[in-house]
Amino acid sequence: YYILNIPMERGYTMKKKIVSLAVAVVMFFALAMPFYAATINLSTEIDGILNYYTSQTTAIENWNEIIAFSSVNAIKGSALTEPTLNENAPITLAQFILSRLALGINPNETSSVGDPVAKLASKQKEDGSFYENDLYGTVLCAVALQGAQAKAGDETVVYSAKQATSYILSLQKDDGSFSEKMKTHALCATYLSAFTENNTEVTQALDKAAKFIADKYGDAKTLEEATTEDIAYATMALADTEKAKTLDSFAAYGDLPSVLVSRKNSDGIYRATSAEADSDKDTTLAVLMAYDALSDGKSVWRSFEDYGSVNENMWQKLKWFALGFGVLVLLSIIFWFYIMFGRKKYRDDAQGAVGK
């Protein structure tokens, strides 16, 4: 069990406080061009969700909650009670791996099925899929293994990302969709967004995927009928693919962040649709992850792929600064050794300065 770690004086703005101080100059420019600050206060929206859960519950019960609350640094503790794992249901292994990554646990640690990463990788089919008729299950497995790959490092091959990518690309339709289900389509776009470097095919596919979202949610009636969870996942995908990073650019996609805010109930959490209804727990978790993606510039799913964790660690953020500083220190030491011991000494005599 995990206890929500949300002191009332903390708030989401305290997230990564040390890093924020270290990059104060960058923050100056960020403040000059606020990210959605014109209409949406992301810190307030995120704190509203966290404060609600703090007042209602203290135990986190499933993998989805672990990931959502970890994405905003709102979990205290790092132990994980193993859920029921089914070797014949790869998605249960993927959810377990993602939970471990979210909590900073080695995903390869032995479990009731042995190494869950190796076990899940063994379920990948020749065409790159993990399920025959379940694209959501396949892409979630791929995200989990890509996270394990990032954690393991380039020297260790965990699974075939090339085959998984090719399989997902093969399913894209002429209208740009990977699936009729927006959540699945969005997660496919997020997964592929990690493979755009020197890959024209993926880049073009993501252009089409973004256009599908724009076409679908550009229609007011369709947007009104869309579930809040689908809108949250579409928002994450647009952030991950870097198709929408400003308020103006989101306007081309139905102004999704504002739509999310409009679906908040008076208790501070969110309803599943545009219609007046009770708040929905799973929907609210998706919205929380969407707000985090807007704040960080990428979703927790993409962070798994890039870092093997919910956030880039301090060393990854500062490694180039640290390496540059180390080089300067080394050059300084060499210089002073030269001054003290390496330069010729001189003495003066009647005929002038002579090397000694």
Side-chain angles (χ1 to χ4, degrees):
Y1 294 95
Y2 298 86
I3 306 303
L4 289 178
N5 182 27
I6 316 167
M8 294 304 292
E9 71 277 7
R10 184 184 67 84
Y12 186 69
T13 53
M14 295 297 290
K15 182 183 177 186
K16 304 174 186 174
K17 182 177 180 181
I18 297 176
V19 176
S20 296
L21 292 174
V23 293
V25 175
V26 176
M27 289 303 295
F28 170 81
F29 290 102
L31 289 171
M33 295 180 292
F35 194 67
Y36 305 118
T39 57
I40 301 174
N41 187 319
L42 292 173
S43 296
T44 299
E45 298 300 333
I46 291 171
D47 282 342
I49 295 173
L50 297 182
N51 289 335
Y52 172 84
Y53 276 95
T54 301
S55 66
Q56 298 294 316
T57 183
T58 56
I60 294 177
E61 300 172 349
N62 58 52
W63 73 279
N64 202 25
E65 290 178 325
I66 291 174
I67 292 171
F69 290 122
S70 291
S71 73
V72 293
N73 293 349
I75 285 187
K76 180 180 181 180
S78 59
L80 178 62
T81 301
E82 182 179 316
T84 301
L85 301 177
N86 184 348
E87 295 185 33
N88 297 317
I91 197 169
T92 65
L93 303 176
Q95 293 166 350
F96 184 49
I97 291 168
L98 290 167
S99 296
R100 282 184 163 183
L101 292 173
L103 296 169
I105 301 172
N106 181 359
N108 298 91
E109 281 187 11
T110 301
S111 67
S112 61
V113 296
D115 179 348
V117 174
K119 182 65 66 175
L120 179 57
S122 71
K123 300 298 180 180
Q124 189 175 24
K125 303 179 186 298
E126 291 184 3
D127 64 0
S129 68
F130 293 85
Y131 286 91
E132 289 185 9
N133 298 305
D134 183 357
L135 180 55
Y136 174 78
T138 286
V139 71
L140 193 69
C141 290
V143 169
L145 288 176
Q146 187 60 31
Q149 177 74 70
K151 193 78 170 178
D154 294 336
E155 67 279 1
T156 302
V157 178
V158 173
Y159 79 118
S160 177
K162 182 178 180 180
Q163 287 181 315
T165 299
S166 296
Y167 175 75
I168 293 171
L169 288 172
S170 72
L171 297 178
Q172 189 172 35
K173 299 178 179 62
D174 292 339
D175 64 0
S177 66
F178 296 105
S179 169
E180 294 179 356
K181 299 177 180 179
M182 179 57 73
K183 180 178 178 179
T184 301
H185 169 79
L187 197 58
C188 286
T190 286
Y191 174 74
L192 292 174
S193 69
F195 304 101
T196 56
E197 187 174 357
N198 300 320
N199 194 326
T200 303
E201 184 180 12
V202 170
T203 301
Q204 292 176 345
L206 292 178
D207 289 341
K208 293 170 62 178
K211 186 177 184 302
F212 171 74
I213 296 175
D215 291 343
K216 187 175 182 68
Y217 289 155
D219 179 73
K221 187 174 186 295
T222 302
L223 183 57
E224 183 179 3
E225 294 174 349
T227 68
T228 308
E229 183 180 48
D230 281 350
I231 294 172
Y233 271 87
T235 300
M236 286 185 265
L238 292 170
D240 291 333
T241 58
E242 299 186 351
K243 302 301 181 184
K245 279 184 166 290
T246 66
L247 184 59
D248 288 342
S249 58
F250 259 107
Y253 299 95
D255 196 11
L256 302 186
S258 295
V259 174
L260 290 177
V261 173
S262 73
R263 297 192 176 187
K264 178 173 63 175
N265 283 341
S266 58
D267 58 5
I269 59 174
Y270 295 73
R271 54 186 180 273
T273 66
S274 60
E276 293 297 327
D278 292 339
S279 300
D280 181 76
K281 184 177 182 180
D282 289 337
T283 295
T284 300
L285 294 176
V287 173
L288 179 62
M289 290 188 286
Y291 287 155
D292 176 66
L294 294 174
S295 177
D296 284 357
K298 66 175 65 177
S299 73
V300 63
W301 311 107
R302 178 61 192 273
S303 291
F304 284 138
E305 294 185 81
D306 289 347
Y307 317 127
S309 64
V310 294
N311 293 311
E312 186 176 13
N313 64 40
M314 183 69 74
W315 166 245
Q316 289 172 316
K317 282 181 174 293
L318 301 179
K319 64 180 179 181
W320 295 114
F321 171 81
L323 288 173
F325 182 76
V327 170
L328 290 176
V329 170
L330 180 61
L331 291 175
S332 178
I333 292 173
I334 293 173
F335 173 76
W336 283 108
F337 265 90
Y338 170 74
I339 292 294
M340 297 175 65
F341 305 111
R343 196 173 61 171
K344 288 183 177 180
K345 296 181 179 180
Y346 294 89
R347 63 179 172 79
D348 290 331
D349 60 15
Q351 297 178 348
V354 178
K356 183 178 181 179

